[in-house]
């Protein structure tokens, strides 16, 4: 595993992966966040670790980042899968320790700014602040929807909805002959839908036989998200 200090860091770079950051004039972003950097990460590079000190705010510019945590019984649980444009980090709530471990999935670019500088950015740009709040409000709604699904929806439906949600941000042409490539393991998918890995594996097998998707230990490829709509509506 690679630590946060090891990935290559660039002061300036393309912020188009996050429309919210890109909306701030470069000179003003540099003024408010003078030590912000773009980290170039490799697959499984660790951005920060659960229990460690994190006084920074991050944003995915390219690729994927997963958040996970170790539970009281010592098992690892994936709590989120983030794509370009998503902010993350525990800094804003004043936490002394990071609640999750953040890692790159595949090659990724991540913008990092110290908390104190990000707070200046928020206070200097009201429109940016409103967009930031709206983004987290949407994420909260998605989490509430997921929790409701745990209680009232079948695993097949929860899995289909998760594919639909993730494909919006992770949509890349797949080299395996399918439409969309999601670099997530079966266990990570199981964590996200609140099911066991064997149950998810059985559903994936059934969908593969139907030609809806293909998968391995490290990825899932969906031919067309539309093929899953019948499951969601069932």
């Amino acid at each position: 595993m690679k630590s946060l200090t090891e990935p290559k860091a660039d002061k300036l770079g393309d912020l188009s992966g996050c429309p919210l950051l890109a909306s701030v004039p470069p000179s003003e972003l540099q003024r408010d966040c003078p030590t912000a950097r773009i980290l170039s990460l490799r697959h499984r590079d660790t951005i920060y670790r659960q229990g460690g000190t994190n006084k920074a705010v991050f944003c995915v510019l390219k690729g994927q980042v997963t958040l996970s945590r170790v539970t009281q019984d010592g098992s690892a649980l994936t709590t989120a899968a983030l794509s370009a444009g998503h902010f993350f980090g525990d800094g804003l709530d004043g936490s002394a320790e990071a609640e999750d471990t953040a890692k790159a999935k595949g090659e990724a670019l991540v913008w990092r700014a110290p908390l104190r500088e990000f707070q200046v950015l928020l206070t200097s740009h009201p429109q940016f602040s409103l967009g930031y709040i709206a983004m987290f409000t949407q994420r909260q709604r998605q989490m509430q929807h997921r929790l409701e699904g745990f209680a009232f929806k079948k695993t097949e439906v929860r899995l289909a909805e998760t594919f639909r949600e993730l494909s919006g941000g992770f949509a890349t042409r797949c080299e395996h002959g399918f439409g969309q490539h999601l670099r997530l393991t079966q266990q990570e998918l199981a964590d996200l839908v609140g099911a066991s890995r064997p149950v998810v594996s059985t559903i994936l097998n059934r969908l593969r036989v139907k030609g809806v998707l293909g998968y391995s230990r490290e990825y899932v490829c969906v031919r067309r998200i539309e093929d899953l709509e019948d499951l969601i509506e069932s």
Side-chain angles (χ1 to χ4, degrees), residues 183-232:
R183 192 161 187 168
L184 294 170
T185 67
Q186 292 182 32
Q187 185 59 60
E188 288 169 335
L189 278 173
D191 291 344
L192 292 174
V193 302
S196 68
R197 190 197 61 78
V199 168
V200 168
S201 179
T202 298
I203 298 172
L204 293 178
N205 276 327
R206 186 160 62 246
L207 293 175
R208 179 167 61 180
V209 170
K210 292 181 178 179
V212 175
L213 53 79
Y215 68 87
S216 74
R217 289 185 176 183
E218 290 292 328
Y219 65 82
V220 176
C221 301
V222 181
R223 187 178 298 280
R224 291 190 316 128
I225 291 299
E226 291 82 355
D227 292 334
L228 300 173
E229 293 298 326
D230 288 342
L231 269 180
I232 295 174

Side-chain angles (χ1 to χ4, degrees), residues 15 18-24 28-37 54-61 85-94 110-136 139:
L15 299 177
C18 177
L20 195 56
L21 280 175
S23 70
V24 181
E28 296 180 21
L29 187 62
Q30 173 64 22
R31 178 199 64 200
D32 296 339
C33 301
T35 67
R37 296 291 186 271
N54 174 34
K55 295 183 178 181
V57 175
F58 302 83
C59 181
V60 184
L61 298 178
H86 283 98
F87 288 84
F88 62 100
D90 298 313
L92 284 180
D93 64 6
V110 172
W111 182 81
R112 177 188 66 187
L115 173 60
R116 64 185 182 280
E117 295 181 7
F118 192 75
Q119 289 172 333
V120 173
L121 179 64
L122 290 174
T123 56
S124 299
H125 296 273
Q127 287 302 119
F128 179 92
S129 298
L130 289 173
Y132 185 76
I133 293 171
M135 184 178 299
F136 274 91
R139 191 182 299 179

Side-chain angles (χ1 to χ4, degrees), residues 155-163 189 193 200 203-204 207:
T155 304
E156 292 91 338
V157 176
R158 301 202 303 269
L159 186 61
E161 289 181 338
T162 298
F163 281 141
L189 278 173
V193 302
V200 168
I203 298 172
L204 293 178
L207 293 175

Side-chain angles (χ1 to χ4, degrees), residues 57-77:
V57 175
F58 302 83
C59 181
V60 184
L61 298 178
K62 182 180 180 181
Q64 307 169 15
V65 170
T66 57
L67 304 182
S68 63
R69 65 181 61 183
V70 177
T71 61
Q72 291 183 347
D73 64 4
S75 59
L77 176 69

